[in-house]
Amino acid sequence: MTLEGNYNLFTVFLAIVVGILSAYTALDLIERSSSSPRPQKKWVLMSALSFGLGVWAVQVIGLLSYYTPITFQINMWMLIASLLVAFLGSLLSSWLYMIKKMSIISGILIGITLLMTHYILLFSLKSNIALQVQPWASLLSATISFVLGAYIVHAWFYVKTLEQNQMMKVMSSIVTGCGLAAMHYIHLAGYSLKEGTFIIRRWGQFLPYQEPFAGLVASVTLTILILFLLIAAYKKHAESHTNMIKEASYRSLFNYNPDIVCSISVNGFINVMNTKGKDVTGYAMHEMEHLPFLMLFPPDDAERIQHFFQQSLDGTSVHYDATLIKQNGENIYVEVTQMPIIVNGESHGIYVILKDITERKVAQEALCTLQSELALTMNQHDGVIFKLKKVNGKFLYTMSEGKLKKGFGLDTDEMVGKAIDMFLEGKQLQEKHNLYEKVWNGQALSYEGFFRGIPYYETLTPVIKGDQVVEIIGNMIDITNLHRAQVQLERSEAMYRSVLSTMTEGVVFHNCEGDIVAANEHAASILGMSYDEFYQINTMNLAWRMIHPNGEIFQKEDIPSVRCLKTGKAVENVVMGIWVTPHKLIWLSINAQRLSDNEYHEGVVVTFKDITKQRQQEVELLQINKRLVVAKEEAEKANQTKTEFLSKVSHELRTPLNSIMGYTQILGDQELPPIQTGHVQKIMRASQHLLNLINETMDLSKIEGGHVSLNMESLSVQQVLEEAYKTMHPIALEHNMNLTLLQQQPDVYVYGDNLRLQQILLNLLTNAVRYSKPYGSIKLAFKSDEHVVTIYVEDEGIGISSSEIQDIFKPFYRSKSVMIDGTGIGLSLVKQLVLIMDGTYGVESVEGIGSTFWVQFPVVKASDKSPSIKEKSVLQSIASIEKASVLYIEDYDENIELMQSVLAPYNNVELFIAKNGRQGIEAIQTIHPKVILLDMNLPDISGEEVVKAIKSQDQLKDIPVIAVTANALQGDVEKAVSMGIEEYITKPIHIETFLHKLARILNVKK
């Protein structure tokens, strides 16, 4: 006999509702996990629990919804096992999909989990009747299970799309819930109950707890699912609020950025640009949208910018300078930074930041133009203008310009940095050295000399600063023509005296009344007259206008022949200018001798010679000297202007850079998320790059102005190279470079400044790392003989073209063949530092293979003087000092906030603020601080005036003053020290160094 049961439709509906809600909850929790950068385990676990519980509850409620007239018993252990299978299967499939991205296996595992849960629940039922199932029902149920598994994985894959379309999310949940119920009920539909030993009950009397148990399972399941949904909703609301704040922050960073910020599509069109971009370019917002990015730049620069654009699309951030064209056609210089927009590993465009650097570019170009014009002016000088500096007892050329160098067979590179010993020898060297010594002691000289067959006239002027000569300025002019004229004149005079018949001097004898008695023909020719006309002249009644060299008119009694007659004394070498015609002036050198013993005549013998050309040469020489003086003054003025300009630029850049680097150092000491730590490091590297540019420019200016000071000593070459290697080796490893120090003999010494020699090597090694190919090799070594030591840096980089190799040591020169960040100053500094340490330099390079830079210095003996032992540091912890008051006089708010942040950790240090000099003086008189921190550039009075006011009062003069300023010139430091300032710290400050110096002073003043 076959028995049939019936379904409780409410319970069936309840099972379907549970299935739909569990599917919706699982999708919502999967969505929460997918919204995080990395899947979160708690959401994966809750999603698996929701889906597994729903699968189990649907099938338990489904079984309990079927009523039969027979007795069934449920095995509780099997029931629990089915729950665990449903949960663990859901958890494993979720883990395989979310963590391992194994979608196919995950879908199959969901189908297996549905079947296993279903069959374990069926096997948990025990009765005395035989159960038979139709094969079609089992096969169809299994097919639905695996199709449903695939559909669920598909829904997980599009979970972000479902997040935007809640209706699709609900529909997916309904399909999943109905699918669970269909799989279960289709399989039950294939079962039939065969008569056996059983107890007949009336409908409704079988298992009276069946419906309440189904309701209990549904209630518990629904409660858990709703609880999970509430948790997810709460988290979503919190994250939505956080994301809203982040979005507002990013939007503010975009909209209020002081630079142009825009987003570019993969096709090269502008998607959006901030307000700054509209203000700078002149385009309206609607005009910028979908405007090709390349249209903002000149057509001839399009290929280069397109190359950088493609690099960014490939996932690389790039940085370069370019010229931007505004809507009105005006050009501005911009610094371009491009960053790729990467979403799910795919490029969706780029972000571009354009910083206006027109003022900086114009300033650099103006500085280069000024230097070029100055060099060009000096090169056009007919003579030679040069500078000398005494270093270690030798006079070195620090500058040499002018056309006369070519006549001497010299060029600038051959002279600059070389001692005079390289060009002179023997007696000539000794005489020149003695002359220079006199000038170095403060005496100005001028003299004539010969060099390589060319006569010259040289003036030497000492440059005195304070009470000390710091350099010598020399000026040479070619006096070949004058020398030749003098030689010829001397020969002519000798000839006149020896051979009267061929005399070229004018010789005249006139009596006491002025009548000419005798004269040679040359006298008439000198005056431009015929011999007969000349005899008609009366020297006492000359019609010519006669003048002194200073332009005054000759009085009759001052005429040489007249004076000679009156005084009876000889008159020699009187220079007279005679206007023989209204347009012709001749100059004569006149001698007069009285002849009173002549038996025939009494009168005067007058000899004169034409010195017109000589006089013209003397006038021209004076004019040349005047022009040289003017050129010298203009050169000094230009140099002073350049120094003042660089000082202002340095001050204006160091002041904001102080806040940037200070706060960056503070952030670097704090625990930050990795991505923010990377941002802080990038800011620090960019700030350090800018500081290096400032420092290198100031160093170059100091060297060119002759203001660099050297601490010369005997140095072990091996130790110098080892120090440079230790500094650069970690940097080379970061750039995947292999830096090798080749060992050499340790007993080779050179005479130089250790700090400057390290600067030379680090500049060369930095260039080798920057321009080398990845995983390349760099060698640092030296070789020596009994005279010189050659240090060389060899790389396997891109090499230097032959057309550029002559220009790489020029200031601000940047290679046109490769776009690599740099200042263009490093190699120029190397050149100048090597030359002032009496060394030489050079480079050998093959394009595409590599370069070898070398510097060479004379070998010296090791110094007998042992290195001094460093004095033990007096620095102690600031925290151990008794309470101390510190006054900071500063008008720049960012610097004040930075100093407050630096000293905030030290409760025993009380910081007071004054925002101008006069407030500072009043505060000092009131507070009597232990230390004064002073900015030298204040809005009302200067820092120097503040120091003078402090030092003038007995009760305040012993308070130590630390200068914290952006003035970085050596003259500023020396002036501050001479005024009694204890320490001089330039901005941007290095916090550790500043605290070290502050602690030392506070300990001393305890």
Side-chain angles (χ1 to χ4, degrees), residues 251-297:
R251 192 178 300 110
S252 297
L253 180 62
F254 182 86
N255 291 331
Y256 300 105
N257 198 300
D259 300 324
I260 301 173
V261 182
C262 59
S263 170
I264 312 299
S265 69
V266 293
N267 296 325
F269 291 93
I270 298 175
N271 289 330
V272 63
M273 184 178 287
N274 65 351
T275 306
K276 184 67 174 181
K278 180 194 70 156
D279 296 337
V280 172
T281 63
Y283 288 100
M285 286 296 185
H286 69 277
E287 292 176 326
M288 287 187 294
E289 292 180 358
H290 306 297
L291 182 72
F293 181 61
L294 291 179
M295 284 190 62
L296 297 178
F297 303 95

Side-chain angles (χ1 to χ4, degrees), residues 255 331 352 441 519 638 749 872 922 957:
N255 291 331
N331 291 345
V352 180
N441 291 327
Y749 293 82
K872 292 185 179 179
E922 294 176 0
K957 66 181 181 181

Side-chain angles (χ1 to χ4, degrees), residues 947-962:
V947 175
K948 289 179 182 177
I950 297 171
K951 298 302 180 182
S952 65
Q953 303 182 40
D954 293 337
Q955 67 272 25
L956 304 178
K957 66 181 181 181
D958 294 330
I959 300 176
V961 179
I962 299 178

Side-chain angles (χ1 to χ4, degrees), residues 446-469:
S446 60
Y447 58 92
E448 295 181 6
F450 275 88
F451 181 68
R452 296 185 178 180
I454 299 177
Y456 63 86
Y457 179 79
E458 182 173 1
T459 61
L460 297 172
T461 305
V463 179
I464 301 174
K465 291 192 176 179
D467 296 327
Q468 186 177 3
V469 176

